[in-house]
Amino acid sequence: MDHRTPSLPPKSALTRFSLSPLSTMTRRLADVASGRAAADLVISGARVLSTYSERITPEREVWIAGGRIAAVKPAGSYKQVAGAPGRVYDAKGGIIAPGLIDPHIHIESSMITACAYAEAALLNGTTTIFCDSHEIGNVMDAAGIEMMLEDARHAPLSIFLTVPSTVPATTPDLETAGGDLTPEKIAALFDRWPEAAALGEKMDFVPVTMGDERSHAILAAALERGKPVSGHIYGREFVAAYAASGVTDTHEAIDRDIADDLLDAGVWIFLRGGPPTTPWHSLPEAIKTITELGSSHKRICVCTDDRDADDLMMFGMDWVTREARRAGMSREQAWSMGSLHPATRFGMDGDIGGLGGGRRADLVLLNDDLDVHNTWYGGELVVEGKRITPVLDQALSNRYRYPDEAYHTVHIPSVPKLIPDLPIEACTANVIRVALPGIVLFHDKVQLQKEESWDALLARNDLTFVTVIERHGHTGGKGVAHGFLKDFGLKSGAVASSVGHDSHNVIVAGTNEADMRLALETLIESQGGVCVVDQGQIVAMVALPIAGLLSDKRVTEVAEETRVLKAAWEKAGCKIPYMGFNLIPLSVIPEIRITDKGLVLVPEMELVPLYEG
């Protein structure tokens, strides 16, 4: 394993390393809290939301020194101590609360770097995230994860890693991945990187519950080091064995009953709030374990999981906490589920998640509807009036630069044949039927008559070509599989993406080979991206040159590109969103998928031919 040497950003940079450890600051903080020394900053005229007591207390002020909270005092107390504070900020009656903590996200889903992600997160009042970077791990193995960790260290945001646990998602017989995170590689990441806080979502829950040797060796690598294990599970019948294997959280509780089972089995629940236009919005159903079945919220958090750059700006963690409130939680409960509870889950509530003395001064200023107006990160005002400050703008201009090898990961030596051979006799085709919300895909069989042209055959059966091309350079250009999508709705042209979960091979769908070829050639030239093509023209595109997954632009630019892409995608007639399209090669979700090896029947974990006599 070719390790990178972990390095720290300059102390002058605005990162999570800007603050000195609490162990070196206790005397100073005690002096400030006792009134013997002046605070660096006092935020006065506020109501304070305590996540410890779940109350909002009026007429309070927060004393801050060295980027940490010294004390929360009655309003005006700072005037009665020796020495004036360095600064006084008038909150004008707003609510001061701890910054939000997202316990489960994938930075790569936003198609931006960690440094770029920080801008949107802070605008949404999020000051800490726990990310699972299995996407870049599937492309670049442990080296890619270490690049992401270096990126995270330079970000003006506290970023911790839940080490990817299921790379590849299945086996080399079913797909070709760029990475292979063995138990030994995972153990090494834990040992080298202190911010490796937990094992990431163990997606292969069936092998786990069946006692698979490799799966349990990976679990052991975390458990031996005292690291918690994050999960990913469907099906109440698997809960007991999954919990017995050491898994202690999941974001995949999709309804109240499995959420209830998981809580009673000792598993933390992360209620996933997805934008309402996506299939990821499971919070309203799963939260019914509280509102209908009477469970406590003490071991329940909220999370985002996946956001593209556009949705990240509009539907951040603050939106998810408001969704929890709309679903029946009080303001104080909802905010605690987004701050103190995630901190407690990962054993960091002594540093983040509340307004206690000694904690980081990661704070937000809210109105009564829990809208974020200001964000302080380590005592620095980085968002004011819902706009980033010059301090944050400067920090974002000094972003981490990924190594050159990260910009060269689409290894397709030549454009292959992108449509299957036209059947010369009547036959049966195994096809993938898509339907909203787009997560589960259905296995259909279509009777194909002998036709004179592809146009007639596709139109008669409402089919679209779909092809997956291996892009990691492991098959010498031979990793190509053809298939059909039924009811996809593409009217003409082609769409393509290098974000084909989880192995991230290139997936192209189209009505004709010429436009499919142009789409693939465009992604090869840009070394990754998502695009819409029609009649020989690129209609819309988000270029993703870093590992074929990430843009190197700021979040605002990528958000605008993504908005244009989604509009073009919808205009083209595609019936599932592009993020659902990216899941078509994900060979761990029922019923049928297509990888570079062919059509995969997921429950059986076996390949089937495209045509059958």
Side-chain angles (χ1 to χ4, degrees), residues 10-68:
K11 189 69 175 178
S12 59
L14 180 62
T15 70
R16 72 180 178 89
F17 302 99
S18 302
L19 270 61
S20 298
L22 178 60
S23 60
T24 67
M25 294 181 61
T26 53
R27 292 179 66 192
R28 181 185 177 195
L29 290 169
D31 284 344
V32 173
S34 301
R36 294 188 298 271
D40 297 333
L41 169 66
V42 170
I43 303 174
S44 190
R47 291 171 287 161
V48 165
L49 190 159
S50 171
T51 53
Y52 308 124
S53 62
E54 293 190 346
R55 294 178 296 184
I56 295 178
T57 307
E59 299 297 325
R60 291 293 185 270
E61 62 190 27
V62 183
W63 294 4
I64 296 167
R68 292 185 179 273

Side-chain angles (χ1 to χ4, degrees), residues 484-505:
F484 298 109
L485 299 178
K486 184 172 177 57
D487 301 336
F488 183 57
L490 181 65
K491 291 180 282 192
S492 65
V495 294
S497 175
S498 58
V499 188
H501 295 276
D502 265 344
S503 291
H504 297 294
N505 291 308

Side-chain angles (χ1 to χ4, degrees), residues 56 63 85 103 258 419 458 473:
I56 295 178
W63 294 4
I258 192 171
I419 63 175
L458 297 179

